[in-house]
Amino acid sequence: VVMAQESAGEDPPPEDRTGVVLGYGFAADINGSTDIDVGSLALRWTRPLRGFRPLGAEARWGWEGAGFGFDREPAALGVGDHLLYEMPLASESTVTPLIRLGLGALVSNRRVPAGATFHNFSLFAEAGVEVDLSGGGWLQFGYRLHHVSNADTGLRNLGINAHTLVLGWSWRP
């Protein structure tokens, strides 16, 4: 079998990235009355949005699937999926500022927050930096404001806002 070579006019294949993300932070319900430690471990996949450069660098879309832990009495564990949108800022150095948005859903083994529901909607906004490791992938550091709420689908909608520090590493598969 002979593979055809790319012609000069064709786009190169997309630069998909796969990664792992750790997060840890604290949260409070909407009333500010409950302190909750939050931890997460996520797998992430992203792909460039060809030609879409709202902040000077090519934007990316993707998916993040995560396991969550909410440390309260009693502790709760959950899993969730998020659609992602990343907006890197144009940068000439190996450090690139970026903004990341996520929207998804979360299910847990206990009501989160206590007295609410087992299923929740989840959205976050993250600001951080990405460091190019010169062919060895990218290291990411950031702050994430993560909102979890059942959007009034249960009898109570307490919702929580988590302030989370995130550390990630991604590579091309």
Side-chain angles (χ1 to χ4, degrees):
V1 176
V2 177
M3 301 288 289
Q5 290 184 324
E6 291 181 17
S7 70
E10 291 182 28
D11 286 336
E15 293 184 1
D16 291 0
R17 294 186 190 176
T18 302
V20 177
V21 183
L22 295 171
Y24 182 78
F26 66 93
D29 68 21
I30 296 301
N31 298 323
S33 61
T34 306
D35 289 326
I36 305 169
D37 289 333
V38 178
S40 64
L41 173 62
L43 297 176
R44 181 185 294 155
W45 170 85
T46 61
R47 172 172 279 186
L49 288 165
R50 294 268 186 212
F52 186 59
R53 300 172 178 273
L55 299 176
E58 196 161 56
R60 304 177 68 81
W61 69 277
W63 167 86
E64 186 174 283
F68 293 92
F70 298 92
D71 179 23
R72 60 176 176 82
E73 284 298 324
L77 299 174
V79 294
D81 282 325
H82 292 92
L83 291 174
L84 297 178
Y85 176 66
E86 294 181 353
M87 296 174 288
L89 283 69
S91 174
E92 298 297 322
S93 75
T94 58
V95 178
T96 303
L98 66 86
I99 297 168
R100 183 177 289 119
L101 304 173
L103 175 65
L106 170 71
V107 293
S108 56
N109 67 334
R110 300 195 190 278
R111 296 176 187 274
V112 175
T117 59
F118 295 96
H119 65 279
N120 284 286
F121 298 98
S122 175
L123 59 100
F124 66 80
E126 181 180 324
V129 295
E130 181 174 79
V131 181
D132 187 344
L133 300 176
S134 300
W138 296 265
L139 204 55
Q140 295 124 7
F141 304 95
Y143 163 78
R144 180 180 285 189
L145 177 59
H146 194 159
H147 178 74
V148 176
S149 166
N150 66 30
D152 282 329
T153 60
L155 295 176
R156 296 178 68 194
N157 183 24
L158 299 173
I160 60 173
N161 290 323
H163 302 276
T164 307
L165 296 176
V166 292
L167 171 63
W169 177 56
S170 61
W171 61 91
R172 286 192 187 102

